[in-house]
Each structure stands twice: as C-alpha cells, then as structure tokens.
Amino acid sequence: MSTTPRQSLAQTFTELVDILVTDFDLVEVMHLIAARSQQILDVDAVGILLVDSHGSLNVIAASTEEARVLALSALQSREGPCLESFRTGQPVSCSDLSTEMARWPRFAPEALHAGFTGVHALPMRLRNEIIGGMNLFSAEGRSVDDETLAAAQALTDVAAIALLHDRAVRHRRLLVEQLQSAINHRLMVEQAKGLIAERTGLSIGEAFDVLRSYAHTHHWKLSELAEAVIQNGSTASDVLSSRAQQN
C-alpha cells in the first residue's frame, strides 16, 4: 500500500529525529532533507543554502545536479527567489518564470533553460536570524499549492534544527576541549613549580612567583613557560639564572 504525502512527511520527521540524536554529519543530513523533500513535495528538485561566517549564502545540498548548478549561478548573479527570500525573510514564489525576465534577467532564463518553469524559495530561520533557505524547483505542468509550501517550510525548519543541534554539539565539544586544555596547563604549571622549588629550596608559592615573574619579563605565556621548564633543562636554568641575577 502506497503512503500518502502526510505519512511520508511523518516518516521523514521520524527518520530525521533518529539521526539527530546520534553523532551525525551535517552535510549528509542536509542532503537527506533535500532528497526527501523532493520525494515528499512532488517537485522536480530541491536546493538548500546556508549562510557562512561572512554573511554569504552557499549551496550546502541539492537533490539534483541541475538544481545545484542553478543555485550556484543564482548566487553568482546575486538574483533570484532564494536571494530575495534571504534578504526579506519571507517566502518568494514564482510559478511561471517566463513572466519574470525583467525581475531576474539572468536567473530566469537559466532556470528555464535547465527545464524549470517555477521556483519557490522559503527562508530558514534560527530564532530571529535568517541563516539560509530552501528552493523548490518545478518543471512544466507541476504546481506547488499552499499545503505543499507549508510542508516545505516544516522541512526547512527541520534543517535549521539540525544546524542548531550541530552548533550545540560543536560548542559543547569545544568547551570540553578548552576545559581539558586548562586542566592540562594547570598541571604543567604545578609540575614546573615543583621542579623550581626542588632545585632552589623555595616554597611552592615562591617558585610560582619566580615562574610568573620570568614569564612576564620575557613575554611568555605561563603555561608555555611551564611546559618548556619541564621539557627543556636549559629553560629551567635560564629561569633560575634570572632569579639569581635579581637577587
């Protein structure tokens, strides 16, 4: 028994939720959303674009090569439905590109030449920020109704959730790495303090003051100096020599 579009949409959401709780690859998920969107929405191609750190849109996934090339061309010419949707934060629909030659003089002819007569662009939001969009490409004889556009927006929102989750995971990993790095640096400082104290007869607190003074005077980071003192006997001797000169 064949599934209805509503059932296919529900199955896709379930599939994506299962993926998002694992250690997923963002690009792979975006390609999956593009492919599933084409199937569920009964359009001829789907493209997904994301903004980079410089504020420029980039093609992150496309269900067909024609859609990818056309999306890249739109970005290069800086015109087309997706660019308008990204700038305004609103959906942009065009069912007949042949009537939009003046509006998109480069994009419209290229889309028609690629076999697409209609394009519908939906914004991708991350809270109040527009971070990309989804393009639906349709060929002659295919129409995109309001229900299809609503489903497309839901899939676009899922793509945004995937991105948000990916950012959260990366941030958490970075935080863990930073914390571990801080702990490792602290351990090296403790070892260097112990080494200086052992060689000079100073207290641990006094040895720390020696290290900190040397690092400040010679423009070292304290953790880097501590590592050098531990691994390089000549650096430890330089630190001790510097203290002897000060005394």
Side-chain angles (χ1 to χ4, degrees):
M1 184 175 65
S2 62
T3 58
T4 66
R6 189 181 297 273
Q7 290 173 326
S8 297
L9 187 61
Q11 290 173 0
T12 297
F13 283 159
T14 301
E15 180 182 11
L16 290 170
V17 167
D18 289 341
I19 291 173
L20 293 181
V21 297
T22 65
D23 188 16
F24 67 92
D25 179 87
L26 181 62
V27 174
E28 186 176 342
V29 169
M30 292 297 172
H31 277 284
L32 176 63
I33 292 174
R36 292 290 187 272
S37 296
Q38 179 181 339
Q39 296 169 1
I40 295 169
L41 303 175
D42 195 27
V43 294
D44 292 280
V46 172
I48 298 176
L49 296 90
L50 290 179
V51 68
D52 61 20
S53 58
H54 303 292
S56 301
L57 283 174
N58 295 266
V59 180
I60 191 70
S63 63
T64 69
E65 180 63 14
E66 291 80 7
R68 186 188 72 84
V69 171
L70 185 56
L72 287 173
S73 178
L75 295 178
Q76 291 173 353
S77 64
R78 303 187 64 80
E79 64 176 46
C82 196
L83 274 296
E84 288 193 12
S85 179
F86 177 71
R87 294 180 188 124
T88 64
Q90 300 297 320
V92 175
S93 293
C94 176
S95 298
D96 186 359
L97 284 168
S98 65
T99 65
E100 301 292 349
M101 294 296 186
R103 184 180 183 183
W104 302 312
R106 286 166 291 187
F107 173 80
E110 289 186 16
L112 289 168
H113 181 73
F116 301 120
T117 58
V119 182
H120 304 268
L122 301 162
M124 185 188 300
R125 292 185 177 86
L126 194 56
R127 299 186 178 93
N128 295 323
E129 179 186 2
I130 306 300
I131 59 168
M134 179 183 287
N135 281 343
L136 310 180
F137 299 93
S138 56
E140 193 76 42
R142 287 182 181 265
S143 61
V144 178
D145 57 24
D146 291 342
E147 184 177 356
T148 300
L149 290 176
Q153 186 63 68
L155 288 161
T156 305
D157 293 341
V158 170
I161 292 170
L163 179 62
L164 178 63
H165 186 58
D166 180 72
R167 285 184 179 180
V169 170
R170 289 177 185 272
H171 177 73
R172 184 166 61 250
R173 287 175 177 169
L174 178 61
L175 180 60
V176 170
E177 291 173 1
Q178 289 174 335
L179 289 173
Q180 187 60 52
S181 178
I183 291 170
N184 293 340
H185 289 167
R186 184 62 185 174
L187 290 174
M188 284 189 291
V189 171
E190 293 297 326
Q191 291 179 45
K193 284 161 54 177
L195 188 151
I196 296 297
E198 180 181 2
R199 292 183 58 174
T200 60
L202 296 172
S203 68
I204 293 295
E206 290 170 331
F208 179 67
D209 290 337
V210 169
L211 285 170
R212 186 168 56 183
S213 175
Y214 187 92
H216 177 73
T217 303
H218 294 80
H219 308 292
W220 283 69
K221 290 183 179 179
L222 184 60
S223 58
E224 293 176 350
L225 175 61
E227 184 177 10
V229 166
I230 295 167
Q231 297 182 356
N232 190 336
S234 62
T235 302
S237 298
D238 290 343
V239 173
L240 296 175
S241 298
S242 176
R243 175 181 179 274
Q245 292 173 4
Q246 292 176 357
N247 293 335

